[in-house]
Amino acid sequence: LYSCQVVTEKLSRAAVVERAAKLADAEGVEAVTIRRLAQELGVTPMALYWHFKNKEELIFGLVDHLLAEVTATRRPEDPPLTQLRAMVETLVAAMREHPSLAGLLHMKDQGEVPSLTRATEDALELLARIGYTDVREGYAVASYLLHGAIGLVSTEPGCPTFMNPEQAIEWRRQKRRNLEALPAAEYPMLTEFASTVEQPPDLEHYYTFGIDMLMRGVGPATS
Amino acid sequence: LYSCQVVTEKLSRAAVVERAAKLADAEGVEAVTIRRLAQELGVTPMALYWHFKNKEELIFGLVDHLLAEVTATRRPEDPPLTQLRAMVETLVAAMREHPSLAGLLHMKDQGEVPSLTRATEDALELLARIGYTDVREGYAVASYLLHGAIGLVSTEPGCPTFMNPEQAIEWRRQKRRNLEALPAAEYPMLTEFASTVEQPPDLEHYYTFGIDMLMRGVGPATS
DNA sequence: ACCTGAACACCGTTCAAGT
DNA sequence: ACCTGAACACCGTTCAAGT
């Protein structure tokens, strides 16, 4: 009814990117293909080349679109570390909403994505205020936080990114079986872990635990 | 003279995997293709399907091979955190030797790669000794370390993974130009960063700084 | 057991041509 | 300005057939 290919209006960058986002969320990045996208939009594959130089530019557009929806929740009056944590939390939230985002961000250099540039600048400013006055170190810390967040959602327990509940259960069962196939004498920890893997995980606990770890890294050394 | 396709001996899993590793190191993972690999080995693409069920299995074999070369340097008499750090350091070293490894490890679940299973078990044991008695938390910490290490080499300053020196210089110049194109008033930190990006980075400092951050995450909280 | 030939269903991309 | 048709050079994979 409202969908893009029924009402045949003119193709636009925005329409393509939105459709790409829909596709990526539903079937993963690997489904986002020039030809497939064109088909969904009721158009010839070559039509996309009018709006995008090549596929890479399209993917950049996609990443930017997924990130643009993120609204910053940090408050300027909070202490720097609190604001930094808020930024990480919004980033994680964005990747949880759009499972393909984590994989996409992993490749693209953070300097190449416009929506990340603003965030990086702000992070550098906050980091300078807590003592990372060398901007190169600051950049390293910012990268650490970005990739740490990516890592968190990439290894979210339960199932790999997206799956319907039925598949997820089967996937966990399979994972448990794999772990239990290990010789228990040589792998005591992993066989113990096997027994915990089938029950659905407490994701909120996982993420606060994970972000705590991440943030501890930027704080002062203790060892 | 000694190369695989001149002396036409029988194809083997090991030969294929070694050639794949060579190719990945030289031209990146995206060059590792069934058809290309077959060509290098002087054989038909379909020949590989006798030794590997499909490409995914071949890639698993590749990852396993790259990781297998890693020799553990930790000493059992050291305190757990020291051993853990040594494990992270060897992992980082392996990824620095084989630039494609980081990208490969990012996708594959750590439970699926045999060479990682042993490392995960050992890490869980060490983590239990420093207080992570809940094996699920331990697994989260181990994943954090793995992905943190991946993140470090992924954002190594200088150039993206591999490039000849000539390209690397051009790449840095381009990166600097991109950063300097930003409006200086709105992006003061990044424009300051721009001036540092062209000089060759101190990689050893970068990595010890990065691993320090990582390890601080597993230590006790301080905020 | 180990490899080839031919074929299928996919990719991204170019380039001339249409409207 | 915006889109199509036809073509090119690539993919991974299957399946029957060769030795």
Side-chain angles (χ1 to χ4, degrees), chain B residues 33-35 46 49 54-55:
Chain B
T33 218
I34 298 277
R35 296 178 113 103
M46 294 75 72
Y49 283 91
N54 50 30
K55 189 182 179 181

PDB file of all heavy atoms in Angstrom, chain B residues 33-35 46 49 54-55, chain D residues 10-16:
ATOM      1  N   THR B  33      39.543 -16.736  -3.499  1.00  0.00           N
ATOM      2  CA  THR B  33      38.334 -17.130  -4.185  1.00  0.00           C
ATOM      3  C   THR B  33      38.571 -18.544  -4.704  1.00  0.00           C
ATOM      4  O   THR B  33      39.697 -18.925  -5.009  1.00  0.00           O
ATOM      5  CB  THR B  33      38.084 -16.108  -5.318  1.00  0.00           C
ATOM      6  OG1 THR B  33      36.711 -15.859  -5.439  1.00  0.00           O
ATOM      7  CG2 THR B  33      38.694 -16.548  -6.593  1.00  0.00           C
ATOM      8  N   ILE B  34      37.518 -19.327  -4.750  1.00  0.00           N
ATOM      9  CA  ILE B  34      37.666 -20.703  -5.208  1.00  0.00           C
ATOM     10  C   ILE B  34      38.368 -20.762  -6.563  1.00  0.00           C
ATOM     11  O   ILE B  34      39.343 -21.482  -6.751  1.00  0.00           O
ATOM     12  CB  ILE B  34      36.292 -21.385  -5.316  1.00  0.00           C
ATOM     13  CG1 ILE B  34      35.612 -21.459  -3.949  1.00  0.00           C
ATOM     14  CG2 ILE B  34      36.429 -22.767  -5.936  1.00  0.00           C
ATOM     15  CD1 ILE B  34      36.042 -22.606  -3.104  1.00  0.00           C
ATOM     16  N   ARG B  35      37.895 -19.943  -7.466  1.00  0.00           N
ATOM     17  CA  ARG B  35      38.431 -19.978  -8.828  1.00  0.00           C
ATOM     18  C   ARG B  35      39.874 -19.491  -8.896  1.00  0.00           C
ATOM     19  O   ARG B  35      40.713 -20.085  -9.562  1.00  0.00           O
ATOM     20  CB  ARG B  35      37.535 -19.141  -9.743  1.00  0.00           C
ATOM     21  CG  ARG B  35      36.135 -19.706  -9.864  1.00  0.00           C
ATOM     22  CD  ARG B  35      35.240 -18.835 -10.728  1.00  0.00           C
ATOM     23  NE  ARG B  35      34.857 -19.509 -11.964  1.00  0.00           N
ATOM     24  CZ  ARG B  35      33.671 -20.058 -12.179  1.00  0.00           C
ATOM     25  NH1 ARG B  35      32.749 -20.018 -11.253  1.00  0.00           N
ATOM     26  NH2 ARG B  35      33.403 -20.662 -13.313  1.00  0.00           N
ATOM     27  N   MET B  46      36.614 -26.984  -9.485  1.00  0.00           N
ATOM     28  CA  MET B  46      35.833 -28.054  -8.868  1.00  0.00           C
ATOM     29  C   MET B  46      36.699 -29.040  -8.101  1.00  0.00           C
ATOM     30  O   MET B  46      36.207 -29.774  -7.257  1.00  0.00           O
ATOM     31  CB  MET B  46      35.018 -28.802  -9.922  1.00  0.00           C
ATOM     32  CG  MET B  46      33.959 -27.968 -10.552  1.00  0.00           C
ATOM     33  SD  MET B  46      34.671 -26.807 -11.733  1.00  0.00           S
ATOM     34  CE  MET B  46      35.141 -27.855 -13.090  1.00  0.00           C
ATOM     35  N   TYR B  49      36.501 -28.849  -4.385  1.00  0.00           N
ATOM     36  CA  TYR B  49      35.310 -29.369  -3.711  1.00  0.00           C
ATOM     37  C   TYR B  49      35.469 -30.823  -3.278  1.00  0.00           C
ATOM     38  O   TYR B  49      34.631 -31.360  -2.582  1.00  0.00           O
ATOM     39  CB  TYR B  49      34.067 -29.197  -4.593  1.00  0.00           C
ATOM     40  CG  TYR B  49      33.570 -27.770  -4.594  1.00  0.00           C
ATOM     41  CD1 TYR B  49      34.011 -26.861  -5.542  1.00  0.00           C
ATOM     42  CD2 TYR B  49      32.686 -27.334  -3.621  1.00  0.00           C
ATOM     43  CE1 TYR B  49      33.573 -25.554  -5.536  1.00  0.00           C
ATOM     44  CE2 TYR B  49      32.232 -26.030  -3.604  1.00  0.00           C
ATOM     45  CZ  TYR B  49      32.682 -25.146  -4.559  1.00  0.00           C
ATOM     46  OH  TYR B  49      32.248 -23.852  -4.529  1.00  0.00           O
ATOM     47  N   ASN B  54      32.626 -26.750   1.125  1.00  0.00           N
ATOM     48  CA  ASN B  54      32.304 -25.498   0.433  1.00  0.00           C
ATOM     49  C   ASN B  54      33.316 -24.433   0.838  1.00  0.00           C
ATOM     50  O   ASN B  54      34.249 -24.709   1.578  1.00  0.00           O
ATOM     51  CB  ASN B  54      30.877 -25.052   0.748  1.00  0.00           C
ATOM     52  CG  ASN B  54      30.607 -25.064   2.240  1.00  0.00           C
ATOM     53  OD1 ASN B  54      31.519 -24.863   3.043  1.00  0.00           O
ATOM     54  ND2 ASN B  54      29.370 -25.293   2.612  1.00  0.00           N
ATOM     55  N   LYS B  55      33.086 -23.217   0.384  1.00  0.00           N
ATOM     56  CA  LYS B  55      34.062 -22.179   0.645  1.00  0.00           C
ATOM     57  C   LYS B  55      34.185 -21.873   2.133  1.00  0.00           C
ATOM     58  O   LYS B  55      35.269 -21.577   2.630  1.00  0.00           O
ATOM     59  CB  LYS B  55      33.686 -20.907  -0.112  1.00  0.00           C
ATOM     60  CG  LYS B  55      34.781 -19.878  -0.053  1.00  0.00           C
ATOM     61  CD  LYS B  55      34.444 -18.593  -0.746  1.00  0.00           C
ATOM     62  CE  LYS B  55      35.609 -17.631  -0.605  1.00  0.00           C
ATOM     63  NZ  LYS B  55      35.325 -16.334  -1.242  1.00  0.00           N
TER      64      LYS B  55
ATOM     65  P    DC D  10      38.065 -11.271 -15.100  1.00  0.00           P
ATOM     66  OP1  DC D  10      38.767 -10.649 -13.952  1.00  0.00           O
ATOM     67  OP2  DC D  10      38.822 -11.862 -16.191  1.00  0.00           O
ATOM     68  O5'  DC D  10      37.077 -12.381 -14.529  1.00  0.00           O
ATOM     69  C5'  DC D  10      37.211 -12.778 -13.207  1.00  0.00           C
ATOM     70  C4'  DC D  10      36.014 -12.281 -12.378  1.00  0.00           C
ATOM     71  O4'  DC D  10      34.856 -12.122 -13.209  1.00  0.00           O
ATOM     72  C3'  DC D  10      35.579 -13.313 -11.359  1.00  0.00           C
ATOM     73  O3'  DC D  10      36.431 -13.239 -10.224  1.00  0.00           O
ATOM     74  C2'  DC D  10      34.156 -12.851 -11.058  1.00  0.00           C
ATOM     75  C1'  DC D  10      33.700 -12.237 -12.389  1.00  0.00           C
ATOM     76  N1   DC D  10      32.667 -13.023 -13.145  1.00  0.00           N
ATOM     77  C2   DC D  10      31.410 -13.231 -12.572  1.00  0.00           C
ATOM     78  O2   DC D  10      31.179 -12.748 -11.449  1.00  0.00           O
ATOM     79  N3   DC D  10      30.477 -13.934 -13.256  1.00  0.00           N
ATOM     80  C4   DC D  10      30.759 -14.414 -14.463  1.00  0.00           C
ATOM     81  N4   DC D  10      29.808 -15.095 -15.107  1.00  0.00           N
ATOM     82  C5   DC D  10      32.048 -14.234 -15.060  1.00  0.00           C
ATOM     83  C6   DC D  10      32.953 -13.542 -14.375  1.00  0.00           C
ATOM     84  P    DC D  11      37.017 -14.557  -9.587  1.00  0.00           P
ATOM     85  OP1  DC D  11      38.355 -14.290  -9.051  1.00  0.00           O
ATOM     86  OP2  DC D  11      36.828 -15.649 -10.553  1.00  0.00           O
ATOM     87  O5'  DC D  11      36.040 -14.735  -8.373  1.00  0.00           O
ATOM     88  C5'  DC D  11      34.918 -15.557  -8.575  1.00  0.00           C
ATOM     89  C4'  DC D  11      33.795 -15.160  -7.702  1.00  0.00           C
ATOM     90  O4'  DC D  11      32.769 -14.548  -8.475  1.00  0.00           O
ATOM     91  C3'  DC D  11      33.187 -16.379  -7.046  1.00  0.00           C
ATOM     92  O3'  DC D  11      33.649 -16.442  -5.716  1.00  0.00           O
ATOM     93  C2'  DC D  11      31.715 -16.163  -7.155  1.00  0.00           C
ATOM     94  C1'  DC D  11      31.564 -15.310  -8.400  1.00  0.00           C
ATOM     95  N1   DC D  11      31.366 -16.032  -9.700  1.00  0.00           N
ATOM     96  C2   DC D  11      30.199 -16.770  -9.917  1.00  0.00           C
ATOM     97  O2   DC D  11      29.352 -16.826  -9.017  1.00  0.00           O
ATOM     98  N3   DC D  11      30.031 -17.410 -11.101  1.00  0.00           N
ATOM     99  C4   DC D  11      30.970 -17.307 -12.051  1.00  0.00           C
ATOM    100  N4   DC D  11      30.747 -17.945 -13.207  1.00  0.00           N
ATOM    101  C5   DC D  11      32.168 -16.571 -11.847  1.00  0.00           C
ATOM    102  C6   DC D  11      32.336 -15.957 -10.672  1.00  0.00           C
ATOM    103  P    DG D  12      34.343 -17.807  -5.241  1.00  0.00           P
ATOM    104  OP1  DG D  12      35.073 -17.505  -3.996  1.00  0.00           O
ATOM    105  OP2  DG D  12      35.025 -18.426  -6.376  1.00  0.00           O
ATOM    106  O5'  DG D  12      33.049 -18.655  -4.875  1.00  0.00           O
ATOM    107  C5'  DG D  12      32.134 -18.126  -3.953  1.00  0.00           C
ATOM    108  C4'  DG D  12      30.863 -18.958  -3.967  1.00  0.00           C
ATOM    109  O4'  DG D  12      30.319 -18.933  -5.299  1.00  0.00           O
ATOM    110  C3'  DG D  12      31.079 -20.422  -3.608  1.00  0.00           C
ATOM    111  O3'  DG D  12      30.069 -20.823  -2.706  1.00  0.00           O
ATOM    112  C2'  DG D  12      30.998 -21.144  -4.949  1.00  0.00           C
ATOM    113  C1'  DG D  12      30.057 -20.255  -5.753  1.00  0.00           C
ATOM    114  N9   DG D  12      30.336 -20.293  -7.194  1.00  0.00           N
ATOM    115  C8   DG D  12      31.506 -19.956  -7.826  1.00  0.00           C
ATOM    116  N7   DG D  12      31.460 -20.084  -9.124  1.00  0.00           N
ATOM    117  C5   DG D  12      30.170 -20.529  -9.374  1.00  0.00           C
ATOM    118  C6   DG D  12      29.539 -20.851 -10.606  1.00  0.00           C
ATOM    119  O6   DG D  12      30.007 -20.803 -11.752  1.00  0.00           O
ATOM    120  N1   DG D  12      28.223 -21.266 -10.414  1.00  0.00           N
ATOM    121  C2   DG D  12      27.603 -21.352  -9.186  1.00  0.00           C
ATOM    122  N2   DG D  12      26.333 -21.779  -9.205  1.00  0.00           N
ATOM    123  N3   DG D  12      28.180 -21.065  -8.026  1.00  0.00           N
ATOM    124  C4   DG D  12      29.465 -20.654  -8.193  1.00  0.00           C
ATOM    125  P    DT D  13      30.095 -22.273  -2.038  1.00  0.00           P
ATOM    126  OP1  DT D  13      29.268 -22.280  -0.817  1.00  0.00           O
ATOM    127  OP2  DT D  13      31.508 -22.683  -1.980  1.00  0.00           O
ATOM    128  O5'  DT D  13      29.332 -23.168  -3.125  1.00  0.00           O
ATOM    129  C5'  DT D  13      28.063 -22.747  -3.575  1.00  0.00           C
ATOM    130  C4'  DT D  13      27.525 -23.722  -4.595  1.00  0.00           C
ATOM    131  O4'  DT D  13      28.080 -23.413  -5.897  1.00  0.00           O
ATOM    132  C3'  DT D  13      27.864 -25.191  -4.325  1.00  0.00           C
ATOM    133  O3'  DT D  13      26.641 -25.887  -4.102  1.00  0.00           O
ATOM    134  C2'  DT D  13      28.587 -25.650  -5.585  1.00  0.00           C
ATOM    135  C1'  DT D  13      28.144 -24.619  -6.619  1.00  0.00           C
ATOM    136  N1   DT D  13      29.083 -24.408  -7.757  1.00  0.00           N
ATOM    137  C2   DT D  13      28.614 -24.587  -9.035  1.00  0.00           C
ATOM    138  O2   DT D  13      27.475 -24.921  -9.287  1.00  0.00           O
ATOM    139  N3   DT D  13      29.548 -24.366 -10.015  1.00  0.00           N
ATOM    140  C4   DT D  13      30.877 -23.991  -9.847  1.00  0.00           C
ATOM    141  O4   DT D  13      31.614 -23.828 -10.810  1.00  0.00           O
ATOM    142  C5   DT D  13      31.309 -23.819  -8.480  1.00  0.00           C
ATOM    143  C7   DT D  13      32.713 -23.425  -8.183  1.00  0.00           C
ATOM    144  C6   DT D  13      30.392 -24.033  -7.515  1.00  0.00           C
ATOM    145  P    DT D  14      26.632 -27.455  -3.745  1.00  0.00           P
ATOM    146  OP1  DT D  14      25.629 -27.654  -2.686  1.00  0.00           O
ATOM    147  OP2  DT D  14      28.012 -27.920  -3.558  1.00  0.00           O
ATOM    148  O5'  DT D  14      26.063 -28.094  -5.098  1.00  0.00           O
ATOM    149  C5'  DT D  14      25.060 -27.397  -5.821  1.00  0.00           C
ATOM    150  C4'  DT D  14      24.616 -28.216  -7.020  1.00  0.00           C
ATOM    151  O4'  DT D  14      25.434 -27.871  -8.178  1.00  0.00           O
ATOM    152  C3'  DT D  14      24.746 -29.731  -6.858  1.00  0.00           C
ATOM    153  O3'  DT D  14      23.662 -30.355  -7.523  1.00  0.00           O
ATOM    154  C2'  DT D  14      26.078 -30.040  -7.544  1.00  0.00           C
ATOM    155  C1'  DT D  14      26.032 -29.047  -8.702  1.00  0.00           C
ATOM    156  N1   DT D  14      27.348 -28.650  -9.244  1.00  0.00           N
ATOM    157  C2   DT D  14      27.477 -28.457 -10.601  1.00  0.00           C
ATOM    158  O2   DT D  14      26.565 -28.602 -11.380  1.00  0.00           O
ATOM    159  N3   DT D  14      28.739 -28.087 -10.997  1.00  0.00           N
ATOM    160  C4   DT D  14      29.853 -27.903 -10.184  1.00  0.00           C
ATOM    161  O4   DT D  14      30.932 -27.568 -10.660  1.00  0.00           O
ATOM    162  C5   DT D  14      29.639 -28.122  -8.784  1.00  0.00           C
ATOM    163  C7   DT D  14      30.771 -27.945  -7.822  1.00  0.00           C
ATOM    164  C6   DT D  14      28.412 -28.478  -8.383  1.00  0.00           C
ATOM    165  P    DC D  15      23.273 -31.882  -7.291  1.00  0.00           P
ATOM    166  OP1  DC D  15      22.026 -31.919  -6.508  1.00  0.00           O
ATOM    167  OP2  DC D  15      24.458 -32.633  -6.807  1.00  0.00           O
ATOM    168  O5'  DC D  15      22.948 -32.396  -8.773  1.00  0.00           O
ATOM    169  C5'  DC D  15      23.331 -31.619  -9.908  1.00  0.00           C
ATOM    170  C4'  DC D  15      23.935 -32.502 -10.997  1.00  0.00           C
ATOM    171  O4'  DC D  15      25.251 -31.988 -11.353  1.00  0.00           O
ATOM    172  C3'  DC D  15      24.157 -33.967 -10.605  1.00  0.00           C
ATOM    173  O3'  DC D  15      23.917 -34.790 -11.725  1.00  0.00           O
ATOM    174  C2'  DC D  15      25.625 -33.995 -10.194  1.00  0.00           C
ATOM    175  C1'  DC D  15      26.197 -33.043 -11.257  1.00  0.00           C
ATOM    176  N1   DC D  15      27.541 -32.492 -10.907  1.00  0.00           N
ATOM    177  C2   DC D  15      28.349 -31.956 -11.925  1.00  0.00           C
ATOM    178  O2   DC D  15      27.935 -31.942 -13.085  1.00  0.00           O
ATOM    179  N3   DC D  15      29.573 -31.463 -11.590  1.00  0.00           N
ATOM    180  C4   DC D  15      29.990 -31.501 -10.316  1.00  0.00           C
ATOM    181  N4   DC D  15      31.188 -31.005 -10.038  1.00  0.00           N
ATOM    182  C5   DC D  15      29.183 -32.042  -9.276  1.00  0.00           C
ATOM    183  C6   DC D  15      27.971 -32.526  -9.611  1.00  0.00           C
ATOM    184  P    DA D  16      23.562 -36.349 -11.567  1.00  0.00           P
ATOM    185  OP1  DA D  16      22.091 -36.468 -11.576  1.00  0.00           O
ATOM    186  OP2  DA D  16      24.347 -36.912 -10.446  1.00  0.00           O
ATOM    187  O5'  DA D  16      24.135 -36.950 -12.925  1.00  0.00           O
ATOM    188  C5'  DA D  16      23.924 -36.261 -14.146  1.00  0.00           C
ATOM    189  C4'  DA D  16      25.189 -36.301 -14.981  1.00  0.00           C
ATOM    190  O4'  DA D  16      26.231 -35.574 -14.294  1.00  0.00           O
ATOM    191  C3'  DA D  16      25.749 -37.707 -15.228  1.00  0.00           C
ATOM    192  O3'  DA D  16      25.902 -37.933 -16.619  1.00  0.00           O
ATOM    193  C2'  DA D  16      27.072 -37.723 -14.480  1.00  0.00           C
ATOM    194  C1'  DA D  16      27.450 -36.253 -14.478  1.00  0.00           C
ATOM    195  N9   DA D  16      28.367 -35.885 -13.398  1.00  0.00           N
ATOM    196  C8   DA D  16      28.176 -36.047 -12.052  1.00  0.00           C
ATOM    197  N7   DA D  16      29.187 -35.631 -11.318  1.00  0.00           N
ATOM    198  C5   DA D  16      30.097 -35.169 -12.244  1.00  0.00           C
ATOM    199  C6   DA D  16      31.368 -34.595 -12.112  1.00  0.00           C
ATOM    200  N6   DA D  16      31.954 -34.392 -10.921  1.00  0.00           N
ATOM    201  N1   DA D  16      32.018 -34.231 -13.240  1.00  0.00           N
ATOM    202  C2   DA D  16      31.421 -34.440 -14.426  1.00  0.00           C
ATOM    203  N3   DA D  16      30.219 -34.966 -14.677  1.00  0.00           N
ATOM    204  C4   DA D  16      29.610 -35.313 -13.536  1.00  0.00           C
TER     205       DA D  16
END
